[in-house]
Structures are given as C-alpha cells and as structure tokens.
Amino acid sequence: MLVAAAVCPCPPLLVPEVAVGAAPEMDAVRAACTDALGVLAAARPDLLIVVGPAGPGEGGVFPQGGRGSFKGYGVDLDVRLGGGAQGTTAERELPSSLAVGAWLLERTGWADAPVEGLGVEETLAPERCAGRGRELGVRADRVALLVLGDGSACRTVKAPGYLDERAAPYDAAVARALAAADLPALLSLDADLARTLKSSGRVPWQILAGAAEGTDLDGSLLYEDAPYGVGYMVATWS
C-alpha cells in the first residue's frame, strides 16, 4: 500500500546548470524538494515509483537505471533513474519530468529502495488516472511515490501561457488539496481547464489520489509560489 508521497514541480530550471544565472531564484523550491524526499526515505518503502508528465509517445514504464539528459537545454548533463545498472544505447530516454526526478534523487543520494519511473500523458482521463494509481498502490507492501508536475503556467503576463485569471484560483485549489491530502478535490480537477492553463501536474496528482485510496495519510504543504508565472508546489503525504 502507499505509505508516503512527495509532490514536487518538474521544471528543468530546478537543475542549477540549466538555470545558470537564475539558479539562486529556485533555491527555496530545491530545499523544499530535498525535505520532501527526506519524508519518503523516512517511510522505509519497499519500492519508489516516480510519476511525471510525458509528451505524446514518451510515456510508459522506465526501469531503474533509465537514462535522462539535459542536452536539449544546452547542458551536457546526464542522469540515471535511481542509479542502478547502466542501460544500453537502445533504451528509451527519460521524459523531461522523470529526468528532473532522477536529478532530485541523485542530489539527495537516494539509496533507500528500488526505483521505477512512469511517464503519463496529459490526456489521461481522471477516472483512468485513479485506476492507474490504485494499481501502483499495490505494487509492494510499502510503496512510496515521487509525484512530479507543475501548476498553471498562466499566472502573469510573462508566463509561458500569458495571464489567465483562472490560474491563481486553480493553483490555490490544488495547494489546498495537497495540504489536506484531499482525494476527492484532486480527482475533481477539470482536465480541460488544466490543459488550458498548461498545468502538467493534473494527471500525476490524480494518480496519487487513486494510489492513496484506502489509506489514512496526512498532507503537508512545504512550498507554494509562482516564479516565472508558473505555479510550483511541494507537498508530502505520510
């Protein structure tokens, strides 16, 4: 069953080498992510599953040791999901979100449980998200999830999606739901609105809600802000 979860954003800007001059502006969210992964380690899971958004054709299951890269962002930096054996040249590359997750795990020295990755496309319907989460929750006696995804990208006129007045209330509702481990609130997030607001976290959050059914986890919100006009939230459930 699910014993703990950490929710983190997944912009490549989390990686200082990618952010370059803007790196200090992300220090607070990096610190919150480190704290969140500490909660996962403390839960002593048998299996950690890293769940994050993926583009069309990029989704699916990724084994421990799966490789990711930030070369697409002009940085010669490679990562491996949870360490493990070096993969072959034929293996699929991690989607960007899982590469960020792999970087977070490397940064914190994760060695507490085997790791798998799951990339999910943003078109997955809420009920299918919940079903997928239920499947993940029974993968081991003690399952932990690292759930990656961003809030809206429409909080300011300089945001990637420009300014949308619905963005701030959407992010606030997500933050409340994560803080309270409110499964119905997460499952009720509107898929069309999330897509319009360019929120990459809707599907991973709803998978988390499905995985947490039948548990009694408490939530804690560690960070909520919108640097660069994008909603970033860090939370833990334990």
Side-chain angles (χ1 to χ4, degrees), residues 15-44:
V15 180
E17 292 88 341
V18 175
V20 193
E25 298 175 20
M26 300 292 285
D27 282 347
V29 65
R30 288 189 199 100
C33 290
T34 297
D35 291 344
L37 265 66
V39 170
L40 296 185
R44 306 186 309 280

Side-chain angles (χ1 to χ4, degrees), residues 180-191:
D182 188 335
L183 311 189
L186 288 177
L187 290 171
S188 69
L189 292 173
D190 185 87

Side-chain angles (χ1 to χ4, degrees), residues 177-214:
L178 293 175
D182 188 335
L183 311 189
L186 288 177
L187 290 171
S188 69
L189 292 173
D190 185 87
D192 291 333
L193 177 60
R195 191 175 303 114
T196 298
L197 297 177
K198 302 185 182 300
S199 171
S200 67
R202 192 271 304 175
V203 169
W205 299 330
Q206 291 182 330
I207 288 175
L208 167 61
E213 288 183 4

